[in-house]
Amino acid sequence: MAKINKKWVALCSTAIGAIYAAGYFATETQATIQQPQQQVQVTQTKSTQTNRLYKEGTYTGSGSNRRGSIQVAVTIKSDKITDVEISHFAMHYTIDDVVGLPQEVLQKQSAQVRNVSGATYSTQAFKDAVQDALSQARNA
């Protein structure tokens, strides 16, 4: 095999790196563009107590990353998370990986759920979606 000039090796390595980076950024941009429009559905009841952490109602939150997006509906009653439903799931893997996370949110009363091994991106998108809904529910 002929000896390859070091300049060619450096040039080819740089070209491969540039192509990889372009593909990564294109995928990231495409995922951002394709994420569903955030729709907020709020059903509020008037509360006489103003020192609550959350407003009562059902709030829709979304989370996304380069592997897809998740949308959840979080219901708040008496300053507690009473229901969490995955309303839209468009991730690279199946919903089976994160199907237990809504129950964990109810138990912990927080978006900080355990990471599911093998479904890191789905778990993070789920956490982001729940946190988005809780942020909308937070009293100002």
Side-chain angles (χ1 to χ4, degrees):
M1 187 169 194
K3 198 172 193 180
I4 298 176
N5 187 338
K6 288 182 182 181
K7 288 181 184 178
W8 279 108
V9 172
L11 180 65
C12 290
S13 297
T14 303
I16 290 171
I19 291 169
Y20 175 80
Y24 174 79
F25 289 117
T27 302
E28 192 71 27
T29 303
Q30 211 171 29
T32 303
I33 291 170
Q34 291 177 351
Q35 76 182 6
Q37 293 296 326
Q38 184 177 352
Q39 296 176 353
V40 179
Q41 296 175 336
V42 179
T43 307
Q44 290 183 329
T45 58
K46 292 193 176 191
S47 174
T48 57
Q49 194 174 15
T50 59
N51 59 352
R52 293 186 179 218
L53 183 61
Y54 298 113
K55 297 176 277 190
E56 290 191 358
T58 301
Y59 299 87
T60 302
S62 60
S64 64
N65 54 47
R66 66 187 187 126
R67 298 286 188 207
S69 63
I70 294 179
Q71 193 171 43
V72 297
V74 177
T75 302
I76 307 287
K77 287 184 184 168
S78 301
D79 225 20
K80 289 193 170 219
I81 302 170
T82 59
D83 189 35
V84 178
E85 294 180 13
I86 298 173
S87 54
H88 176 74
F89 186 87
M91 295 298 292
H92 181 71
Y93 301 103
T94 67
I95 195 170
D96 297 336
D97 296 333
V98 295
V99 75
L101 294 181
Q103 185 61 35
E104 192 172 340
V105 169
L106 294 176
Q107 290 171 350
K108 290 187 174 184
Q109 290 294 300
S110 167
Q112 300 308 312
V113 295
R114 65 177 171 70
N115 191 35
V116 177
S117 179
T120 304
Y121 286 102
S122 297
T123 303
Q124 188 58 52
F126 177 82
K127 287 180 187 180
D128 292 345
V130 172
Q131 190 57 54
D132 181 35
L134 291 177
S135 294
Q136 294 170 34
R138 189 171 301 276
N139 269 326

